[in-house]
Amino acid sequence: MTPLEPLKHMLQERLPQLELREEEPMERHTTFRVGGPVPLMALPKEEAELQTILRCCQEAGTAPFFLGKGSNLLVADEGAEVFVVKLTGALGRLEAAGETALYVGAGVTLAQAASFAASHGWTGLEFAHGIPGTLGGGVFMNAGAYDGALSQVIQWVDCLDETGQPRRLEGDALELGYRRSVFVRLPWLITGARISLKKGEEGEIRGKMADLAQRRRSKQPLEYPSAGSTFKRPEGHFAGALIQECGLKGAQVGGAQVSEKHAGFVVNRGGATCRDILALIQMVRETVKKGTGVVLEPEVRLLGCSLDPLE
């Protein structure tokens, strides 16, 4: 019997309609398009299912891994021995929640939320339109781009604790900082958030979104699978500039490459494995530290794999 077998049977008994997949390849669920299988994945469609899933996990002594669009995730070629709960089929609530506010479920993409806000003439979320992830993942890492971040517009966040009990966090309790939130250390499931914006003009808002989209297309390697910016921005520096300064633009390991368009991105040029990507990230970190003294920290989350510590 596998370690997750008792949990599987518990879920099948209590949630007979829940979609469960066994030995599900994670390459189907990450924007890097790499990753081996996980033994069990649940694809809930209702928040009530999530509450039961969390209670079952607690009873079974299993810590779930919550997955959105997998846009900031690198999974080992061998997969990972975890129970994955994929949220993009659930938590799809998206509605007005005040004169200039909206409620966004964790499974809603940031692009959908930004477009919804624009259609109401609400400004402040334009920066998020091109971020390839969900609201849940965005809150988890306080996603941001072009001088904007979710911390600037979030009023409060709804979540479920490890027992499935609903909670609401706001203000300092969210611990929102650069690419971090309280949920990095707290094993609670984000279910949605109230976003507070300002009145604007739809044409101007969509014009700004189009301008940012054009800037992304011209500067970022959107034509290849990746996990977005590979490294966090080091204080006082830009990761891409440091990598380029060290002559690593275009460097390649197997099918993984430091983008020739933007050195801050590691991309899958075709057939890359997790090992290729990890080896390239490691080489970049070592070379940049040796050449500049700056330690680059990965922004991408690692599942079932790890980087060697820098000497």
Side-chain angles (χ1 to χ4, degrees):
M1 179 180 292
T2 66
L4 292 179
E5 200 72 18
L7 175 62
K8 183 185 77 171
H9 292 309
M10 197 183 303
L11 292 170
Q12 288 173 330
E13 180 180 328
R14 299 185 190 179
L15 294 170
Q17 303 303 316
L18 176 66
E19 182 179 358
L20 289 174
R21 298 182 187 176
E22 297 183 70
E23 298 302 318
E24 179 69 9
M26 287 296 286
E27 65 182 9
R28 299 176 182 172
H29 302 277
T30 67
T31 55
F32 251 138
R33 298 291 180 260
V34 302
V38 292
L40 189 65
M41 176 184 288
L43 295 91
K45 295 181 173 59
E46 304 291 340
E47 185 169 334
E49 291 180 316
L50 286 165
Q51 292 178 296
T52 301
I53 288 170
L54 291 174
R55 286 193 289 268
C56 288
C57 284
Q58 187 183 47
E59 290 179 34
T62 299
F65 182 87
F66 304 122
L67 176 69
K69 290 192 69 177
S71 60
N72 193 45
L73 182 65
L74 178 61
V75 183
D77 299 314
E78 301 79 16
E81 288 297 313
V82 295
F83 168 51
V84 173
V85 181
K86 184 162 185 177
L87 303 170
T88 49
L91 304 176
R93 180 179 163 194
L94 178 59
E95 61 190 29
E99 189 175 351
T100 55
L102 62 157
Y103 188 91
V104 187
V108 175
T109 68
L110 291 171
Q112 290 171 325
S115 292
F116 182 89
S119 70
H120 285 73
W122 300 338
T123 184
L125 202 55
E126 293 91 330
F127 72 90
H129 188 257
I131 299 176
T134 59
L135 183 280
V139 171
F140 182 89
M141 64 176 293
N142 186 23
Y146 296 107
D147 299 320
L150 285 178
S151 57
Q152 298 167 359
V153 296
I154 286 176
Q155 187 171 350
W156 40 253
V157 174
D158 285 333
C159 50
L160 299 174
D161 66 18
E162 59 271 11
T163 70
Q165 182 71 25
R167 306 273 187 171
R168 178 169 289 175
L169 300 178
E170 59 185 314
D172 292 343
L174 289 167
E175 298 180 15
L176 294 170
Y178 177 67
R179 299 299 176 264
R180 64 177 174 82
S181 72
V182 68
F183 300 102
V184 172
R185 64 174 182 80
L186 195 65
W188 292 3
L189 169 62
I190 299 159
T191 58
R194 190 178 196 268
I195 305 293
S196 182
L197 303 172
K198 297 178 180 179
K199 289 183 179 180
E201 197 278 316
E202 182 177 354
E204 292 181 4
I205 294 167
R206 293 200 181 277
K208 183 176 180 180
M209 283 163 48
D211 176 62
L212 293 178
Q214 176 55 37
R215 289 166 65 181
R216 283 189 176 92
R217 285 192 296 270
S218 65
K219 295 181 180 180
Q220 298 180 9
L222 304 181
E223 64 272 27
Y224 295 111
S226 77
S229 297
T230 306
F231 301 98
K232 295 178 182 178
R233 185 178 67 243
E235 188 173 353
H237 301 276
F238 291 99
L242 292 172
I243 295 166
Q244 186 168 341
E245 177 186 326
C246 291
L248 292 171
K249 201 172 190 178
Q252 197 157 343
V253 174
Q257 183 187 53
V258 175
S259 170
E260 296 171 307
K261 184 182 285 189
H262 190 312
F265 287 65
V266 169
V267 299
N268 180 353
R269 285 295 299 262
T273 64
C274 178
R275 289 187 187 86
D276 294 338
I277 295 167
L278 278 178
L280 185 56
I281 290 174
Q282 189 72 23
M283 182 180 77
V284 168
R285 296 181 75 222
E286 291 174 354
T287 304
V288 169
K289 183 183 178 185
K290 182 177 180 180
T292 70
V294 177
V295 175
L296 294 179
E297 296 296 338
E299 184 171 307
V300 61
R301 296 176 70 197
L302 306 178
L303 182 62
C305 55
S306 61
L307 289 163
D308 295 331
L310 296 179
E311 296 181 0

PDB file of all heavy atoms in Angstrom, residues 123-154:
ATOM      1  N   THR A 123      -9.307  51.184 -12.330  1.00  0.00           N
ATOM      2  CA  THR A 123      -7.871  51.175 -12.597  1.00  0.00           C
ATOM      3  C   THR A 123      -7.071  50.761 -11.368  1.00  0.00           C
ATOM      4  O   THR A 123      -7.505  50.954 -10.233  1.00  0.00           O
ATOM      5  CB  THR A 123      -7.399  52.562 -13.080  1.00  0.00           C
ATOM      6  OG1 THR A 123      -6.007  52.489 -13.416  1.00  0.00           O
ATOM      7  CG2 THR A 123      -7.606  53.634 -12.024  1.00  0.00           C
ATOM      8  N   GLY A 124      -5.903  50.173 -11.611  1.00  0.00           N
ATOM      9  CA  GLY A 124      -5.023  49.754 -10.530  1.00  0.00           C
ATOM     10  C   GLY A 124      -4.542  48.334 -10.664  1.00  0.00           C
ATOM     11  O   GLY A 124      -3.604  47.906  -9.983  1.00  0.00           O
ATOM     12  N   LEU A 125      -5.173  47.567 -11.589  1.00  0.00           N
ATOM     13  CA  LEU A 125      -4.811  46.158 -11.750  1.00  0.00           C
ATOM     14  C   LEU A 125      -4.198  45.887 -13.133  1.00  0.00           C
ATOM     15  O   LEU A 125      -3.946  44.745 -13.480  1.00  0.00           O
ATOM     16  CB  LEU A 125      -6.051  45.282 -11.545  1.00  0.00           C
ATOM     17  CG  LEU A 125      -5.848  43.809 -11.167  1.00  0.00           C
ATOM     18  CD1 LEU A 125      -4.986  43.650  -9.919  1.00  0.00           C
ATOM     19  CD2 LEU A 125      -7.191  43.119 -10.958  1.00  0.00           C
ATOM     20  N   GLU A 126      -3.919  46.943 -13.885  1.00  0.00           N
ATOM     21  CA  GLU A 126      -3.389  46.767 -15.234  1.00  0.00           C
ATOM     22  C   GLU A 126      -2.089  45.969 -15.250  1.00  0.00           C
ATOM     23  O   GLU A 126      -1.854  45.149 -16.145  1.00  0.00           O
ATOM     24  CB  GLU A 126      -3.140  48.134 -15.903  1.00  0.00           C
ATOM     25  CG  GLU A 126      -4.400  48.919 -16.190  1.00  0.00           C
ATOM     26  CD  GLU A 126      -4.800  49.846 -15.037  1.00  0.00           C
ATOM     27  OE1 GLU A 126      -4.496  49.512 -13.875  1.00  0.00           O
ATOM     28  OE2 GLU A 126      -5.401  50.887 -15.308  1.00  0.00           O
ATOM     29  N   PHE A 127      -1.239  46.171 -14.249  1.00  0.00           N
ATOM     30  CA  PHE A 127       0.054  45.491 -14.192  1.00  0.00           C
ATOM     31  C   PHE A 127      -0.078  43.977 -14.203  1.00  0.00           C
ATOM     32  O   PHE A 127       0.830  43.256 -14.636  1.00  0.00           O
ATOM     33  CB  PHE A 127       0.817  45.914 -12.919  1.00  0.00           C
ATOM     34  CG  PHE A 127       0.243  45.345 -11.649  1.00  0.00           C
ATOM     35  CD1 PHE A 127       0.683  44.119 -11.164  1.00  0.00           C
ATOM     36  CD2 PHE A 127      -0.738  46.012 -10.944  1.00  0.00           C
ATOM     37  CE1 PHE A 127       0.157  43.577 -10.008  1.00  0.00           C
ATOM     38  CE2 PHE A 127      -1.280  45.490  -9.781  1.00  0.00           C
ATOM     39  CZ  PHE A 127      -0.831  44.261  -9.314  1.00  0.00           C
ATOM     40  N   ALA A 128      -1.212  43.470 -13.707  1.00  0.00           N
ATOM     41  CA  ALA A 128      -1.386  42.026 -13.527  1.00  0.00           C
ATOM     42  C   ALA A 128      -1.858  41.317 -14.783  1.00  0.00           C
ATOM     43  O   ALA A 128      -1.873  40.089 -14.823  1.00  0.00           O
ATOM     44  CB  ALA A 128      -2.371  41.752 -12.388  1.00  0.00           C
ATOM     45  N   HIS A 129      -2.244  42.058 -15.805  1.00  0.00           N
ATOM     46  CA  HIS A 129      -2.870  41.445 -16.979  1.00  0.00           C
ATOM     47  C   HIS A 129      -1.963  40.434 -17.662  1.00  0.00           C
ATOM     48  O   HIS A 129      -2.431  39.434 -18.198  1.00  0.00           O
ATOM     49  CB  HIS A 129      -3.300  42.522 -17.973  1.00  0.00           C
ATOM     50  CG  HIS A 129      -4.108  41.982 -19.113  1.00  0.00           C
ATOM     51  ND1 HIS A 129      -3.583  41.791 -20.376  1.00  0.00           N
ATOM     52  CD2 HIS A 129      -5.395  41.557 -19.175  1.00  0.00           C
ATOM     53  CE1 HIS A 129      -4.517  41.292 -21.160  1.00  0.00           C
ATOM     54  NE2 HIS A 129      -5.624  41.136 -20.457  1.00  0.00           N
ATOM     55  N   GLY A 130      -0.666  40.665 -17.653  1.00  0.00           N
ATOM     56  CA  GLY A 130       0.256  39.760 -18.350  1.00  0.00           C
ATOM     57  C   GLY A 130       0.950  38.751 -17.451  1.00  0.00           C
ATOM     58  O   GLY A 130       1.809  38.006 -17.918  1.00  0.00           O
ATOM     59  N   ILE A 131       0.592  38.714 -16.167  1.00  0.00           N
ATOM     60  CA  ILE A 131       1.201  37.748 -15.258  1.00  0.00           C
ATOM     61  C   ILE A 131       0.500  36.404 -15.445  1.00  0.00           C
ATOM     62  O   ILE A 131      -0.707  36.303 -15.241  1.00  0.00           O
ATOM     63  CB  ILE A 131       1.101  38.214 -13.795  1.00  0.00           C
ATOM     64  CG1 ILE A 131       1.850  39.538 -13.613  1.00  0.00           C
ATOM     65  CG2 ILE A 131       1.679  37.154 -12.851  1.00  0.00           C
ATOM     66  CD1 ILE A 131       1.723  40.138 -12.224  1.00  0.00           C
ATOM     67  N   PRO A 132       1.225  35.353 -15.838  1.00  0.00           N
ATOM     68  CA  PRO A 132       0.584  34.085 -16.231  1.00  0.00           C
ATOM     69  C   PRO A 132       0.264  33.162 -15.071  1.00  0.00           C
ATOM     70  O   PRO A 132       0.741  32.034 -14.998  1.00  0.00           O
ATOM     71  CB  PRO A 132       1.635  33.453 -17.139  1.00  0.00           C
ATOM     72  CG  PRO A 132       2.933  33.908 -16.544  1.00  0.00           C
ATOM     73  CD  PRO A 132       2.679  35.306 -16.025  1.00  0.00           C
ATOM     74  N   GLY A 133      -0.547  33.644 -14.156  1.00  0.00           N
ATOM     75  CA  GLY A 133      -0.890  32.806 -13.008  1.00  0.00           C
ATOM     76  C   GLY A 133      -2.275  33.130 -12.500  1.00  0.00           C
ATOM     77  O   GLY A 133      -3.001  33.951 -13.068  1.00  0.00           O
ATOM     78  N   THR A 134      -2.659  32.461 -11.426  1.00  0.00           N
ATOM     79  CA  THR A 134      -3.966  32.677 -10.814  1.00  0.00           C
ATOM     80  C   THR A 134      -3.863  33.652  -9.649  1.00  0.00           C
ATOM     81  O   THR A 134      -2.768  33.956  -9.158  1.00  0.00           O
ATOM     82  CB  THR A 134      -4.538  31.351 -10.297  1.00  0.00           C
ATOM     83  OG1 THR A 134      -3.619  30.803  -9.327  1.00  0.00           O
ATOM     84  CG2 THR A 134      -4.745  30.353 -11.435  1.00  0.00           C
ATOM     85  N   LEU A 135      -5.015  34.095  -9.189  1.00  0.00           N
ATOM     86  CA  LEU A 135      -5.053  34.978  -8.025  1.00  0.00           C
ATOM     87  C   LEU A 135      -4.424  34.296  -6.815  1.00  0.00           C
ATOM     88  O   LEU A 135      -3.677  34.922  -6.060  1.00  0.00           O
ATOM     89  CB  LEU A 135      -6.504  35.371  -7.740  1.00  0.00           C
ATOM     90  CG  LEU A 135      -6.849  36.358  -6.601  1.00  0.00           C
ATOM     91  CD1 LEU A 135      -6.869  35.703  -5.245  1.00  0.00           C
ATOM     92  CD2 LEU A 135      -5.944  37.564  -6.626  1.00  0.00           C
ATOM     93  N   GLY A 136      -4.701  32.997  -6.629  1.00  0.00           N
ATOM     94  CA  GLY A 136      -4.135  32.286  -5.485  1.00  0.00           C
ATOM     95  C   GLY A 136      -2.621  32.282  -5.501  1.00  0.00           C
ATOM     96  O   GLY A 136      -1.972  32.610  -4.506  1.00  0.00           O
ATOM     97  N   GLY A 137      -2.050  31.917  -6.640  1.00  0.00           N
ATOM     98  CA  GLY A 137      -0.595  31.931  -6.757  1.00  0.00           C
ATOM     99  C   GLY A 137      -0.044  33.337  -6.648  1.00  0.00           C
ATOM    100  O   GLY A 137       1.035  33.556  -6.083  1.00  0.00           O
ATOM    101  N   GLY A 138      -0.801  34.309  -7.176  1.00  0.00           N
ATOM    102  CA  GLY A 138      -0.347  35.694  -7.102  1.00  0.00           C
ATOM    103  C   GLY A 138      -0.289  36.206  -5.687  1.00  0.00           C
ATOM    104  O   GLY A 138       0.653  36.903  -5.300  1.00  0.00           O
ATOM    105  N   VAL A 139      -1.292  35.870  -4.880  1.00  0.00           N
ATOM    106  CA  VAL A 139      -1.279  36.278  -3.473  1.00  0.00           C
ATOM    107  C   VAL A 139      -0.147  35.578  -2.735  1.00  0.00           C
ATOM    108  O   VAL A 139       0.569  36.194  -1.930  1.00  0.00           O
ATOM    109  CB  VAL A 139      -2.625  35.962  -2.798  1.00  0.00           C
ATOM    110  CG1 VAL A 139      -2.540  36.187  -1.294  1.00  0.00           C
ATOM    111  CG2 VAL A 139      -3.738  36.822  -3.396  1.00  0.00           C
ATOM    112  N   PHE A 140       0.020  34.288  -3.010  1.00  0.00           N
ATOM    113  CA  PHE A 140       1.048  33.501  -2.325  1.00  0.00           C
ATOM    114  C   PHE A 140       2.413  34.181  -2.425  1.00  0.00           C
ATOM    115  O   PHE A 140       3.163  34.248  -1.453  1.00  0.00           O
ATOM    116  CB  PHE A 140       1.111  32.099  -2.926  1.00  0.00           C
ATOM    117  CG  PHE A 140       2.106  31.174  -2.271  1.00  0.00           C
ATOM    118  CD1 PHE A 140       1.730  30.389  -1.195  1.00  0.00           C
ATOM    119  CD2 PHE A 140       3.411  31.084  -2.727  1.00  0.00           C
ATOM    120  CE1 PHE A 140       2.637  29.534  -0.581  1.00  0.00           C
ATOM    121  CE2 PHE A 140       4.330  30.245  -2.119  1.00  0.00           C
ATOM    122  CZ  PHE A 140       3.943  29.463  -1.047  1.00  0.00           C
ATOM    123  N   MET A 141       2.750  34.674  -3.628  1.00  0.00           N
ATOM    124  CA  MET A 141       4.079  35.274  -3.831  1.00  0.00           C
ATOM    125  C   MET A 141       4.025  36.789  -3.988  1.00  0.00           C
ATOM    126  O   MET A 141       5.021  37.411  -4.367  1.00  0.00           O
ATOM    127  CB  MET A 141       4.747  34.664  -5.059  1.00  0.00           C
ATOM    128  CG  MET A 141       4.029  34.945  -6.366  1.00  0.00           C
ATOM    129  SD  MET A 141       4.926  34.306  -7.803  1.00  0.00           S
ATOM    130  CE  MET A 141       6.373  35.350  -7.781  1.00  0.00           C
ATOM    131  N   ASN A 142       2.879  37.407  -3.680  1.00  0.00           N
ATOM    132  CA  ASN A 142       2.712  38.841  -3.889  1.00  0.00           C
ATOM    133  C   ASN A 142       3.221  39.219  -5.279  1.00  0.00           C
ATOM    134  O   ASN A 142       4.159  40.010  -5.432  1.00  0.00           O
ATOM    135  CB  ASN A 142       3.438  39.651  -2.806  1.00  0.00           C
ATOM    136  CG  ASN A 142       3.152  41.148  -2.915  1.00  0.00           C
ATOM    137  OD1 ASN A 142       2.145  41.554  -3.475  1.00  0.00           O
ATOM    138  ND2 ASN A 142       4.061  41.948  -2.391  1.00  0.00           N
ATOM    139  N   ALA A 143       2.588  38.654  -6.283  1.00  0.00           N
ATOM    140  CA  ALA A 143       3.025  38.855  -7.660  1.00  0.00           C
ATOM    141  C   ALA A 143       2.972  40.323  -8.045  1.00  0.00           C
ATOM    142  O   ALA A 143       2.121  41.084  -7.585  1.00  0.00           O
ATOM    143  CB  ALA A 143       2.132  38.035  -8.607  1.00  0.00           C
ATOM    144  N   GLY A 144       3.905  40.697  -8.911  1.00  0.00           N
ATOM    145  CA  GLY A 144       3.937  42.079  -9.365  1.00  0.00           C
ATOM    146  C   GLY A 144       4.705  42.224 -10.660  1.00  0.00           C
ATOM    147  O   GLY A 144       5.410  41.313 -11.087  1.00  0.00           O
ATOM    148  N   ALA A 145       4.545  43.367 -11.282  1.00  0.00           N
ATOM    149  CA  ALA A 145       5.249  43.676 -12.521  1.00  0.00           C
ATOM    150  C   ALA A 145       5.077  45.172 -12.806  1.00  0.00           C
ATOM    151  O   ALA A 145       4.065  45.768 -12.422  1.00  0.00           O
ATOM    152  CB  ALA A 145       4.697  42.857 -13.689  1.00  0.00           C
ATOM    153  N   TYR A 146       6.070  45.746 -13.461  1.00  0.00           N
ATOM    154  CA  TYR A 146       5.986  47.142 -13.906  1.00  0.00           C
ATOM    155  C   TYR A 146       5.524  48.077 -12.784  1.00  0.00           C
ATOM    156  O   TYR A 146       4.572  48.848 -12.934  1.00  0.00           O
ATOM    157  CB  TYR A 146       5.060  47.250 -15.129  1.00  0.00           C
ATOM    158  CG  TYR A 146       5.596  46.503 -16.330  1.00  0.00           C
ATOM    159  CD1 TYR A 146       5.006  45.312 -16.745  1.00  0.00           C
ATOM    160  CD2 TYR A 146       6.711  46.969 -17.014  1.00  0.00           C
ATOM    161  CE1 TYR A 146       5.513  44.612 -17.836  1.00  0.00           C
ATOM    162  CE2 TYR A 146       7.227  46.281 -18.103  1.00  0.00           C
ATOM    163  CZ  TYR A 146       6.620  45.098 -18.516  1.00  0.00           C
ATOM    164  OH  TYR A 146       7.144  44.402 -19.589  1.00  0.00           O
ATOM    165  N   ASP A 147       6.214  47.990 -11.662  1.00  0.00           N
ATOM    166  CA  ASP A 147       5.997  48.860 -10.501  1.00  0.00           C
ATOM    167  C   ASP A 147       4.653  48.642  -9.807  1.00  0.00           C
ATOM    168  O   ASP A 147       4.254  49.432  -8.950  1.00  0.00           O
ATOM    169  CB  ASP A 147       6.126  50.344 -10.883  1.00  0.00           C
ATOM    170  CG  ASP A 147       7.511  50.688 -11.410  1.00  0.00           C
ATOM    171  OD1 ASP A 147       8.497  50.169 -10.850  1.00  0.00           O
ATOM    172  OD2 ASP A 147       7.596  51.460 -12.381  1.00  0.00           O
ATOM    173  N   GLY A 148       3.948  47.572 -10.170  1.00  0.00           N
ATOM    174  CA  GLY A 148       2.707  47.238  -9.489  1.00  0.00           C
ATOM    175  C   GLY A 148       2.841  45.922  -8.758  1.00  0.00           C
ATOM    176  O   GLY A 148       3.646  45.074  -9.136  1.00  0.00           O
ATOM    177  N   ALA A 149       2.057  45.735  -7.708  1.00  0.00           N
ATOM    178  CA  ALA A 149       2.058  44.477  -6.956  1.00  0.00           C
ATOM    179  C   ALA A 149       0.697  44.288  -6.314  1.00  0.00           C
ATOM    180  O   ALA A 149      -0.015  45.263  -6.038  1.00  0.00           O
ATOM    181  CB  ALA A 149       3.154  44.474  -5.890  1.00  0.00           C
ATOM    182  N   LEU A 150       0.326  43.047  -6.073  1.00  0.00           N
ATOM    183  CA  LEU A 150      -0.982  42.777  -5.476  1.00  0.00           C
ATOM    184  C   LEU A 150      -1.120  43.398  -4.089  1.00  0.00           C
ATOM    185  O   LEU A 150      -2.215  43.751  -3.665  1.00  0.00           O
ATOM    186  CB  LEU A 150      -1.227  41.268  -5.415  1.00  0.00           C
ATOM    187  CG  LEU A 150      -1.564  40.602  -6.754  1.00  0.00           C
ATOM    188  CD1 LEU A 150      -1.748  39.104  -6.573  1.00  0.00           C
ATOM    189  CD2 LEU A 150      -2.805  41.214  -7.381  1.00  0.00           C
ATOM    190  N   SER A 151       0.005  43.549  -3.382  1.00  0.00           N
ATOM    191  CA  SER A 151      -0.055  44.153  -2.047  1.00  0.00           C
ATOM    192  C   SER A 151      -0.621  45.568  -2.090  1.00  0.00           C
ATOM    193  O   SER A 151      -1.137  46.068  -1.082  1.00  0.00           O
ATOM    194  CB  SER A 151       1.340  44.176  -1.426  1.00  0.00           C
ATOM    195  OG  SER A 151       2.252  44.875  -2.258  1.00  0.00           O
ATOM    196  N   GLN A 152      -0.558  46.214  -3.243  1.00  0.00           N
ATOM    197  CA  GLN A 152      -1.051  47.586  -3.380  1.00  0.00           C
ATOM    198  C   GLN A 152      -2.579  47.649  -3.488  1.00  0.00           C
ATOM    199  O   GLN A 152      -3.170  48.707  -3.267  1.00  0.00           O
ATOM    200  CB  GLN A 152      -0.432  48.244  -4.616  1.00  0.00           C
ATOM    201  CG  GLN A 152       1.079  48.362  -4.562  1.00  0.00           C
ATOM    202  CD  GLN A 152       1.688  48.717  -5.912  1.00  0.00           C
ATOM    203  OE1 GLN A 152       0.980  48.855  -6.915  1.00  0.00           O
ATOM    204  NE2 GLN A 152       3.009  48.862  -5.955  1.00  0.00           N
ATOM    205  N   VAL A 153      -3.201  46.530  -3.839  1.00  0.00           N
ATOM    206  CA  VAL A 153      -4.649  46.558  -4.115  1.00  0.00           C
ATOM    207  C   VAL A 153      -5.469  45.566  -3.287  1.00  0.00           C
ATOM    208  O   VAL A 153      -6.694  45.606  -3.306  1.00  0.00           O
ATOM    209  CB  VAL A 153      -4.915  46.313  -5.627  1.00  0.00           C
ATOM    210  CG1 VAL A 153      -4.329  47.447  -6.455  1.00  0.00           C
ATOM    211  CG2 VAL A 153      -4.355  44.964  -6.079  1.00  0.00           C
ATOM    212  N   ILE A 154      -4.817  44.658  -2.575  1.00  0.00           N
ATOM    213  CA  ILE A 154      -5.551  43.668  -1.784  1.00  0.00           C
ATOM    214  C   ILE A 154      -6.102  44.306  -0.515  1.00  0.00           C
ATOM    215  O   ILE A 154      -5.379  44.951   0.239  1.00  0.00           O
ATOM    216  CB  ILE A 154      -4.641  42.479  -1.414  1.00  0.00           C
ATOM    217  CG1 ILE A 154      -4.398  41.600  -2.643  1.00  0.00           C
ATOM    218  CG2 ILE A 154      -5.266  41.648  -0.301  1.00  0.00           C
ATOM    219  CD1 ILE A 154      -3.436  40.469  -2.383  1.00  0.00           C
TER     220      ILE A 154
END
